[in-house]
Each structure stands twice: as structure tokens, then as C-alpha cells.
Amino acid sequence: MKPEAARDQEHDHAHDHDHPHGHDHPHDLARPHEHGHGHSHGLIDPSIKRSRAGLRAVGISLGVLGATALTQAAIFAFSNSVALLADLIHNIGDALTAVPLGIAFLLRSERAERIAGLFVVLAILISALVALYQSVLRLIDPQPLDHLWVLAAAGAVGFIGNEIAAYIRLRAGRRLNSPALVADGYHARTDGLVSLGVVASAIVVSIGFDIADPLIGLAITLVILRITWHSWQTIRAG
């Protein structure tokens, strides 16, 4: 009887010892859980932060390119340059690619972002085809250029505007790991170099080579097609 009672007493003692331990253990776990919950609740979801940063980059670059295109459109009305028209068409297309990119960031969807990247590539290709058509048309029916110094200024405006937009998009695209935004950044950067072709057109025509304007328009078309290919590779690799 005594050994049995001793065993029961030891069992009860062990039970009493285990019970507080079992009670305290969930309680201890609850504290980190609450702490972790409060910690995560105080932070902004990474996808929301990424969405906001992407929208900010797209919005600012859209404003820059929009102002650039409007300035070039006003100058085109005076100069009648097909080289400037080719660059203007491309700048407008470049600005419009911000729309699907902005929607993709707003939706916080990787699939939508990829589709937006494909739209960027398509927009570049269309602008190349339009520029090609206008250049060939001007070769068949040459038109005199006016206000060459204004034309050169328009090319400089295009270069500066696109370089600013490219810096914004590339910086944000790399930070956010967005192939679509990076592709659009390279698109804008190379388009800035295309704008320098407009400056070259004004200079060459001013010394008497009128045929240089549509020829430079064709060269711009080739550059845009090259941009199309590299942009497609960037999107496909992403």
C-alpha cells in the first residue's frame, strides 16, 4: 500500500508539475505570436510598396515624355521635318506605353506586368512601321524644311526628355526587378539618341543636302527596329 501511495503521490506531483508547464508554454508562444502580428501589421505590404514605387516612376516619366512630345509637335508644325515626325511618333508611343505599365502596377499582377511589357514591344514596332512609311513617302515626294534652328532645338528637347524618362524608368525597374519597366527605360534611352538624329538632320539640310532628312528618317526607323528586338529579348528573359 505504501509503495502504491508513493507512486500515486509521485504521479500527482509529476502531473502538477507538467500542468503549469503545459499552461505556460502556449502562453509563451502567444506572446511572440502577438508581437509578430503587431510587427507585420505595422509594416506596409511589400507588394503595395512596389506598386506605389512603380506607379510613381511611370507617372513621372509619362509627364516628362508628354511635355516633350507636345513641345516637339508644336515645333513640327513650323519645321515640317519627317525626321522630327518619326521621332515625335516614337515619343508619343513611348509615353503611351506608361498606361499598361501603370495598370499592371496598380493591379499588383506579375502577369499583367508581363503583358504590359509585350505591349511596350508592340508599340515600339508600330512606331517603327509608321516612321518607315513617312520616310519613304518623303523620299518619293520631297518637302522643303523650314526653321532649321528650331528643328535642331526640337531634337535637343527630345534627347533631354527621353534621357530623364529613361533614368527614372531604369532606376525604378532595376530596384523593383521589373523587366517591363527596364525594357521601357532602354526604349526611352535609345530614343533619346534617335532624337539626336533630328539635330543631325537639321545640320545636314542647312548645308544643302535636303535628301538627308528622309534618309535620316530611315536610319531612325532602323534604330527603332533594333530597340524593338532588344526590348523583346528583355521581356522574354524576364
Side-chain angles (χ1 to χ4, degrees), residues 5-183:
R7 281 198 301 271
D8 290 341
Q9 187 178 5
E10 285 172 5
H11 174 72
D12 291 340
H13 176 72
H15 178 72
D16 290 340
H17 174 72
D18 290 339
H19 179 70
H21 177 70
H23 176 72
D24 289 342
H25 184 65
H27 180 69
D28 290 341
L29 286 177
R31 281 201 297 265
H33 173 72
E34 288 170 2
H35 173 72
H37 175 72
H39 181 66
S40 62
H41 182 71
L43 292 175
I44 300 175
D45 189 300
S47 66
I48 296 176
K49 290 176 69 176
R50 185 178 186 277
S51 174
R52 288 178 181 175
L55 284 170
R56 190 182 306 115
V58 168
I60 294 172
S61 62
L62 176 60
V64 170
L65 290 173
T68 301
L70 286 173
T71 303
Q72 288 188 320
I75 296 173
F76 172 72
F78 288 99
S79 66
N80 198 32
S81 165
V82 70
L84 176 56
L85 178 61
D87 191 38
L88 172 60
I89 291 168
H90 194 202
N91 284 337
I92 292 173
D94 194 14
L96 290 178
T97 56
V99 176
L101 276 173
I103 293 172
F105 279 116
L106 189 63
L107 294 174
R108 286 183 277 162
S109 166
E110 289 186 8
R111 184 170 181 272
E113 206 171 314
R114 184 174 179 82
I115 292 172
L118 295 174
F119 184 85
V120 169
V121 176
L122 180 62
I124 303 170
L125 178 61
I126 291 173
S127 66
L129 295 176
V130 173
L132 175 62
Y133 171 76
Q134 291 293 336
S135 298
V136 171
L137 198 65
R138 194 57 59 90
L139 276 171
I140 296 170
D141 183 22
Q143 299 290 330
L145 299 183
D146 302 317
H147 307 286
L148 293 176
W149 67 272
V150 179
L151 177 61
V157 167
F159 172 74
I160 294 170
N162 277 285
E163 185 60 28
I164 293 171
Y167 174 79
I168 294 169
R169 291 178 178 181
L170 286 171
R171 186 166 177 263
R174 287 165 181 160
R175 190 175 71 250
L176 301 175
N177 192 26
S178 170
L181 197 53
V182 168

Side-chain angles (χ1 to χ4, degrees), residues 164-209:
I164 293 171
Y167 174 79
I168 294 169
R169 291 178 178 181
L170 286 171
R171 186 166 177 263
R174 287 165 181 160
R175 190 175 71 250
L176 301 175
N177 192 26
S178 170
L181 197 53
V182 168
D184 216 18
Y186 280 123
H187 174 203
R189 171 154 288 172
T190 311
D191 193 37
L193 298 177
V194 170
S195 293
L196 292 180
V198 176
V199 179
S201 180
I203 293 172
V204 174
V205 170
S206 69
I207 59 178
F209 295 99

